[in-house]
């Protein structure tokens, strides 16, 4: 049975105030579900919609949704970090596909293709930049149009003739507007953009993770940028940090940027590998959680991982799992019980489960009731059984896929073996209710069934997941990346699977009455 430690740290006193050990696991409610994600109208997005398919592009390695043109339909940004620009391998690119009443890519707006060699985009493409390895979206100026943030963690800089800082990292912010994303209207930030707060550092990989959220409820988002390989202590390596940029009516403000480093840190923690934002304590402001999945918690074994949360100004450490658990690899938040505050999901994909090596566990924390539940395959009615190296919880997302007012949880399991020794990958969805996440009606999605497309060895379906209402029907939909999938004879080209949410109890759910003439075709 997995174990969890909750450690409260007082920044004012600089000491540990309390420690509570809670057992993972728990009983999920079995409340009925009347509507879910459906296989009807599912479709896939391939890179061929906008660009030639090539081997090793890894289309779908990252995903982010936002309404970039403010038309009421969420749009989807798709990271392609392995894309070669000319002869520059792994320079990276991003495809933006727009939502419509018929879903993603079926409206009148053509997809947008972004990379650093597109006219007007700042900087230039270089081999190994990995433009698009991380993505997020948010309205940083409060104008109602979401902006798109693209991480470029492999970005390097020449600081003097012949002297380079490799993999310092950077990120772009592309503005949204009535025409969608405008490639030329971008901001480019790197370490030296934040004078007095951060500097470009060799191997920092700034931009490896990204998160956006409205912390104060004023309609303007802030941006958090992970720098997980940063060296913040002399003679240490890869402790990690997170940059914080404030949103404003004028947009993101680099002059007032700050940096988060945890009160205790060690070499190799890789703090900032994940970030989540949500109202976790029911207070007036939203809270923040930062993952350090490779932290070694004395006397815990190597790479057990930990998560640092800031709840209403109070710091709280979470640790869990054993050897190589990588607790904090992925984070997400959602109000699964409809109580008006959110619970925190923490992925520990390397956690041994029921004696099975690295099958993976996800922990759900409720900081108001101080409860925690460990979730894994086979636990309390969740479909499937733990298998070695499944990596349950490698990717996480939340959304309301049945329009019942309760958030639902999405677990990416890219290492799932549908055949022995083969990483096909699956995705599981567990639904919320008045009693919280429950086992009834939880869904297991694979490319074999019920999608019936056919999975292949090494697809890693579920390596990235994102939710959004792509067809504007009031029910969230789900995008799933399979970045290592082979397609059109090209290995690791990747694609993205789209599943639509349907509320079967809603008379007008099909959209026909609202003018969608494609709904009944």
């Amino acid at each position: 049975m997995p174990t969890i430690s909750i450690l409260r740290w007082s920044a004012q006193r600089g000491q540990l105030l309390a420690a509570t050990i809670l057992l993972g696991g728990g009983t999920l409610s079995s409340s009925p579900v009347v509507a879910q994600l459906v296989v009807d109208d599912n479709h896939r997005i391939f890179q061929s919609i906008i660009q030639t398919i090539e081997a090793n592009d890894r289309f779908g390695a990252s995903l982010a949704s936002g309404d970039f043109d403010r038309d009421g339909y969420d749009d989807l940004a798709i990271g392609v970090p392995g894309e070669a620009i000319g002869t520059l391998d792994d320079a990276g690119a991003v495809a933006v596909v727009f939502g419509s009443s018929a879903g993603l890519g079926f409206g009148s707006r053509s997809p947008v293709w972004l990379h650093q060699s597109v006219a007007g985009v700042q900087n230039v493409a270089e081999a190994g930049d990995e433009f698009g390895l991380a993505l997020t979206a948010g309205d940083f100026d409060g104008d109602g149009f979401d902006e798109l943030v693209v991480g470029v963690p492999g970005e390097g800089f020449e600081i003097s003739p012949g002297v380079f800082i490799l993999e310092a990292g950077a990120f772009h912010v592309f503005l949204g507007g009535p025409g969608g994303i405008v490639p030329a209207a971008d901001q480019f930030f790197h370490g030296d953009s934040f004078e007095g707060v951060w500097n470009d550092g060799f191997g920092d990989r700034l931009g490896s993770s990204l998160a956006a959220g409205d912390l104060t409820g004023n309609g303007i988002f802030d941006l958090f940028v992970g720098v997980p390989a940063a060296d913040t202590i002399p003679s240490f390596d890869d402790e990690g940090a997170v940059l914080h940029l404030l949103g404003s009516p004028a947009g993101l403000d680099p002059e007032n940027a700050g940096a988060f480093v945890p009160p205790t840190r060690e070499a190799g923690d890789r703090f900032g590998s994940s970030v989540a934002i949500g109202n976790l304590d029911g207070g007036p402001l939203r809270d923040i959680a930062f993952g350090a999945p490779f932290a070694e918690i004395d006397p815990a074994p190597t790479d057990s991982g930990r998560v640092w949360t800031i709840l209403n100004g109070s710091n709280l450490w979470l640790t869990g799992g054993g050897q190589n658990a990588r607790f904090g690899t992925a984070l997400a938040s959602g109000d699964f019980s409809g109580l008006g505050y959110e619970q925190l999901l923490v992925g520990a994909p390397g956690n041994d489960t029921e004696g099975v090596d690295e099958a993976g566990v996800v922990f759900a924390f409720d900081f108001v009731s101080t409860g925690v539940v460990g979730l894994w395959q086979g636990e309390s009615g969740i479909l499937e059984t733990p298998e070695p190296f499944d990596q349950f919880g490698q990717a996480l997302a939340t959304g309301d896929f049945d329009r019942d007012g309760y958030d639902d949880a999405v677990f990416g399991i890219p290492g799932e073996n549908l055949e022995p020794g083969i990483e096909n990958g699956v995705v599981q969805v567990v639904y919320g209710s008045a009693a919280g996440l429950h086992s009834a009606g939880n869904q297991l999605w694979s490319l074999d069934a019920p999608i019936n497309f056919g999975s292949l060895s090494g697809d890693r379906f579920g390596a990235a997941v994102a939710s959004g209402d792509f067809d504007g029907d009031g029910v969230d939909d789900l995008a799933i990346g399979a970045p290592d999938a082979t397609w059109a004879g090209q290995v690791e080209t990747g694609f993205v699977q789209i599943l639509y949410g349907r509320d079967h109890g809603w008379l007008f759910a099909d959209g026909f009455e609202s003018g969608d003439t494609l709904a009944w075709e």
Side-chain angles (χ1 to χ4, degrees), residues 109-132:
R109 181 152 289 145
S110 299
V112 172
W113 185 242
L114 301 171
H115 54 75
Q116 290 182 319
S117 289
V118 169
V121 173
Q122 297 187 55
N123 208 32
V124 295
E126 298 159 315
D129 279 350
E130 295 180 291
F131 179 97

Side-chain angles (χ1 to χ4, degrees), residues 5 7 21 266 295-304 306 319 321-323:
S5 300
L7 309 179
I21 307 299
E266 297 179 351
E296 180 176 342
I297 311 302
D298 187 39
T302 304
D303 297 343
S304 56
R306 60 182 176 180
T319 66
Q323 181 85 16

